[in-house]
Amino acid sequence: MEKSIDKATLSALEHGEKSGIRTVWDRYAAQRPQCGFGETGVCCRHCLQGPCRISPFGHGPKEGVCGANADVMVARGLSRAVAAGTSSHGGHAKHMAHTLLKSAIGEAADYPIRDEAKLKTVAGRIGVSIDNRDINSIALDVARKALEDFSEKESPLTWAATTVTKGRVETFLKFGVVPTGIDSTVSESMHRTTYGVDSDPVNILLGAIKCALADYAACHMATDIADILFGTPTPVVTRANLGVLKKTAVNIALHGHNPLLSDIVAQVSGEKAMNDRAKAAGASDGINVVGVCCTGNEIMMRHKIPMATSSVSQETAVLTGALDAMVVDYQCIMPSLAGIAECYHTKLITTMPIAKIPGAIHIEFHESSAKESARKIIETAIEAFQKRDPNRVNIPEISSTAYAGFSTEAIIGALSLVNKEDPLKPLIDNIVSGNIYGVCLFAGCNTVKVTQDANYFAMVKELAKNNVLILATGCASGAFGRHGFLTPEATEKYAGPGLKAVLTAVGQAAGLGGPLPLVLHMGSCVDNSRAADVAVAVANKLGVDLHMLPVVASAPEPVTEKAVAIGTWAVAAGLPTHLGVVPPVLGSKLVAEVLTSTVKDLFGGYFIVEPDPLKAAEKLLSVIGERRKGLGLMA
Ligand code: BF8
Ligand code: SF4
């Protein structure tokens, strides 16, 4: 199997191979064949009488030592993955909420409220009064309400109940899946899946859905507070792929998730004094900050910072020999980066007390002294630059233009240039007429199990040709960015006639002099909440619920437990959700059946598992067709 379809990635890998450096692809090869019990979800280590395993082929025991069968094991495994994903997004959101609180009480001077309008909108939505109040006291109440959402409350989560349709809330109540605390729901999931608690696989799966809805609330909260503290994104033009690294600059990659770190480093990297120091050290172009993964998306949208790489190819940034520092916070950071950085002059810098890596330098990041830490980080990179070996520098000269920053507000703003009184009308009219056949949100990662970007590449072309409007977040945006899909040129080249006409009309009204990009980059993985907001607005406007809309989601190359949590809430929100990799559920026919079929009767959404990208696109098109028929629209 090819490692990637991206030439820059392949070139960096080749360079690394020449130096005998092993990467994720080599480690994957060494793991193969992977354990069949694990792959199908039928092993359990939830107590010390285990490990227990059940053959997916019907040989040997049919139950673990305690009597748990394959259905229970698979459901418990999946539920714990959702809980882990939720705890990650929850940790990220709580970090943001604490910082907002510190900002409001004057203990985080480096984090002023940058978007007062967004603060007021969020406050209004969650029932915090804004009349005649100063900004900091509104922020304090919003932060307190956010923090209340983490422990057990009497009422549904504020960040879930106030952001979905009324119909969804009723459905969630009906099936008993309303979360009342983000952390408490994670804790409940861990409790019910431990030794001897929930042994009803369907009940366990309903628990997983409840937890996934807590994940949704956490994602939404993280997005809201990021906008309040750093500004709501508006469209920007920048570049993506390894070619954004510069021979003549101190290159610093920001990798991980939370803008609390990356936004401050981005701000400080623009300071004249810092750039002068870099120049004095011999870097004629000063400091060049680039992004990796989701935090890369955050700074791409707000600071036009280019995206070097993402997800499975994160190690390639170091293999260019031109990276002086890789600065990380948490999530999706391969521990292997430390060993690879050691083969070069590159400094790997960890910043969070919960995410240390042996071999890395740890510069702890605190809200109270954020800019100070950022300067220390940059100084460390400048020092490393002076040890860079020019003979080992190999920056693939490949990068694409990338338009980013299509927040919900930016999309509505662009549409309002077409219809000021009723911005959603042009979108809805075009869906009704069939110019826009449907909408597909691409989310999630790149996995070593699929040729990198191959599924994204094949699916987007097929869907766009059939007039499907494409939204992207997380490493899906990274994949599309690398291949030039975040551009108006891609619209000209790949969009079907109806879609092209709509993107051109809106692009022209927005003063672009041409169409909007083929794929609208909506941000990081927590920003999947932005896509949900657009869908909720359309559903409310049409007076229907989400499960009726011709809207689908796809994670063609998923990896993480966070992706499992997001996929699960997309299903609960009513979206048919495609996965391009088979999750570890095949050991239980019952669980596989519930996830791909039965769940549809309850929530309207369901999983479509299809590794072949063209077949996947076909399936999504046919689902969109069914939904259109259901609404009485031309299929
Ligand atoms: O939260 S898409 S590899 S970076 S999990 Fe990770 Fe997957 Fe990328 Fe962002 Ni999302
Ligand atoms: Fe085995 Fe049951 Fe313990 Fe799991 S919980 S390891 S199935 S005895």
Side-chain angles (χ1 to χ4, degrees):
M1 192 182 81
E2 274 291 313
K3 291 174 181 166
S4 177
I5 59 165
D6 174 48
K7 290 199 174 71
T9 302
L10 291 173
S11 155
L13 286 175
E14 203 187 311
H15 194 67
E17 270 160 30
K18 280 190 196 139
S19 305
I21 296 170
R22 289 162 58 80
T23 63
V24 60
W25 283 278
D26 303 302
R27 296 189 296 275
Y28 176 55
Q31 283 291 335
R32 296 192 73 189
Q34 288 177 304
C35 169
F37 296 97
E39 255 182 354
T40 50
V42 279
C43 62
C44 179
R45 289 190 297 117
H46 293 199
C47 87
L48 304 185
Q49 297 173 113
C52 300
R53 54 192 207 175
I54 294 168
S55 163
F57 305 108
H59 317 307
K62 302 272 182 294
E63 52 194 19
V65 173
C66 68
N69 62 17
D71 300 332
V72 173
M73 285 186 192
V74 171
R76 285 201 299 215
L78 187 77
S79 182
R80 285 205 167 184
V82 172
T86 307
S87 72
S88 310
H89 288 141
H92 173 161
K94 203 177 351 167
H95 200 167
M96 301 294 296
H98 276 298
T99 308
L100 181 63
L101 188 134
K102 286 183 190 158
S103 166
I105 59 174
E107 285 182 9
D110 295 337
Y111 297 93
I113 309 292
R114 284 220 160 71
D115 193 337
E116 295 186 3
K118 179 88 181 209
L119 173 68
K120 288 181 181 165
T121 306
V122 173
R125 195 189 70 217
I126 64 173
V128 166
S129 148
I130 54 174
D131 298 334
N132 304 319
R133 299 185 69 198
D134 72 89
I135 282 301
N136 283 337
S137 50
I138 300 172
L140 183 59
D141 281 358
V142 169
R144 283 193 176 134
K145 273 245 183 199
L147 290 168
E148 273 170 21
D149 255 3
F150 285 90
S151 48
E152 190 81 44
K153 310 192 298 177
E154 293 297 318
S155 52
L157 286 178
T158 305
W159 258 265
T162 61
T163 57
V164 296
T165 56
K166 235 175 114 220
R168 277 297 102 176
V169 176
E170 281 159 15
T171 304
F172 299 152
L173 283 168
K174 184 170 159 198
F175 296 112
V177 296
V178 176
T180 52
I182 296 168
D183 286 350
S184 67
T185 308
V186 171
S187 165
E188 181 186 291
S189 280
M190 294 306 285
H191 177 194
R192 70 198 292 169
T193 54
T194 196
Y195 177 70
V197 185
D198 205 345
S199 299
D200 176 341
V202 175
N203 203 42
I204 295 171
L205 292 175
L206 284 169
I209 287 178
K210 177 174 170 183
C211 193
L213 292 173
D215 184 82
Y216 163 75
C219 288
H220 209 297
M221 185 192 290
T223 298
D224 282 345
I225 301 180
D227 286 355
I228 291 169
L229 289 175
F230 304 114
T232 303
T234 51
V236 294
V237 186
T238 177
R239 298 195 73 77
N241 218 339
L242 290 169
V244 303
L245 291 166
K246 292 183 189 163
K247 256 190 196 156
T248 47
V250 173
N251 291 308
I252 302 174
L254 300 174
H255 177 12
H257 283 81
N258 202 319
L260 289 175
L261 167 74
S262 60
D263 205 281
I264 299 289
V265 178
Q267 290 173 33
V268 171
S269 72
E271 290 177 357
K272 187 171 178 301
M274 284 284 132
N275 281 279
D276 286 349
R277 285 171 91 146
K279 285 178 189 163
S284 55
D285 274 328
I287 297 161
N288 179 38
V289 173
V290 301
V292 176
C293 285
C294 277
T295 217
N297 282 314
E298 300 273 357
I299 49 178
M300 190 180 198
M301 293 190 296
R302 296 196 181 89
H303 295 278
K304 275 196 188 187
I305 286 194
M307 175 77 79
T309 182
S310 56
S311 204
V312 78
S313 54
Q314 56 187 263
E315 295 163 313
T316 60
V318 185
L319 297 180
T320 61
L323 190 63
D324 303 301
M326 169 84 93
V327 188
V328 304
D329 54 8
Y330 38 52
Q331 301 167 20
C332 305
I333 297 145
M334 291 187 195
S336 62
L337 286 169
I340 299 182
E342 266 173 22
C343 300
Y344 293 87
H345 70 293
T346 313
K347 294 290 174 218
L348 177 67
I349 303 173
T350 54
T351 56
M352 295 291 150
I354 62 156
K356 297 188 177 179
I357 304 175
I361 302 174
H362 189 71
I363 302 179
E364 202 150 298
F365 207 78
H366 298 284
E367 289 87 347
S368 53
S369 53
K371 287 196 173 164
E372 211 180 296
S373 319
R375 286 187 195 109
K376 211 163 145 195
I377 286 169
I378 293 174
E379 279 160 15
T380 308
I382 296 173
E383 263 171 46
F385 166 81
Q386 289 163 294
K387 299 196 183 113
R388 191 195 286 175
D389 177 355
N391 296 322
R392 295 189 71 199
V393 171
N394 172 50
I395 304 172
E397 282 178 22
I398 300 172
S399 69
S400 300
T401 303
Y403 286 57
F406 290 88
S407 58
T408 314
E409 290 85 344
I411 291 177
I412 306 275
L415 289 169
S416 71
L417 296 169
V418 180
N419 186 332
K420 198 162 169 240
E421 277 72 47
D422 195 354
L424 284 176
K425 193 168 182 296
L427 178 62
I428 288 170
D429 285 352
N430 280 297
I431 292 175
V432 170
S433 73
N435 275 339
I436 295 176
Y437 189 57
V439 181
C440 181
L441 166 65
F442 277 97
C445 333
N446 290 123
T447 165
V448 72
K449 294 184 172 182
V450 171
T451 297
Q452 186 194 23
D453 298 342
N455 284 358
Y456 288 107
F457 196 86
M459 286 182 75
V460 75
K461 286 200 291 186
E462 196 57 24
L463 292 176
K465 187 172 86 188
N466 286 283
N467 300 308
V468 174
L469 178 67
I470 313 286
L471 312 175
T473 56
C475 292
S477 317
F480 291 132
R482 277 191 284 281
H483 298 283
F485 287 105
L486 305 180
T487 60
E489 290 72 29
T491 307
E492 302 283 6
K493 194 163 168 196
Y494 298 111
L499 179 64
K500 196 183 289 180
V502 179
L503 292 176
T504 305
V506 182
Q508 302 254 355
L512 289 182
L516 290 179
L518 183 71
V519 177
L520 300 180
H521 172 292
M522 296 195 85
S524 63
C525 281
V526 295
D527 293 334
N528 280 307
S529 60
R530 299 190 197 275
D533 283 351
V534 175
V536 167
V538 170
N540 284 339
K541 171 94 186 155
L542 285 173
V544 301
D545 200 3
L546 292 172
H547 68 287
M548 298 172 74
L549 297 178
V551 178
V552 296
S554 172
E557 305 178 20
V559 169
T560 65
E561 290 162 316
K562 290 179 291 171
V564 178
I566 291 171
T568 307
W569 65 250
V571 164
L575 304 190
T577 301
H578 163 247
L579 299 177
V581 173
V582 184
V585 299
L586 292 186
S588 164
K589 271 202 189 105
L590 175 82
V591 171
E593 176 77 18
V594 169
L595 297 175
T596 54
S597 168
T598 324
V599 65
K600 185 178 179 182
D601 302 333
L602 276 57
F603 299 98
Y606 52 98
F607 283 105
I608 299 166
V609 180
E610 178 51 71
D612 181 305
L614 288 180
K615 283 190 195 150
E618 237 171 68
K619 286 181 183 173
L620 291 178
L621 286 168
S622 113
V623 167
I624 291 173
E626 277 168 32
R627 292 259 168 123
R628 291 185 64 88
K629 257 192 230 155
L631 287 171
L633 306 177
M634 238 169 25

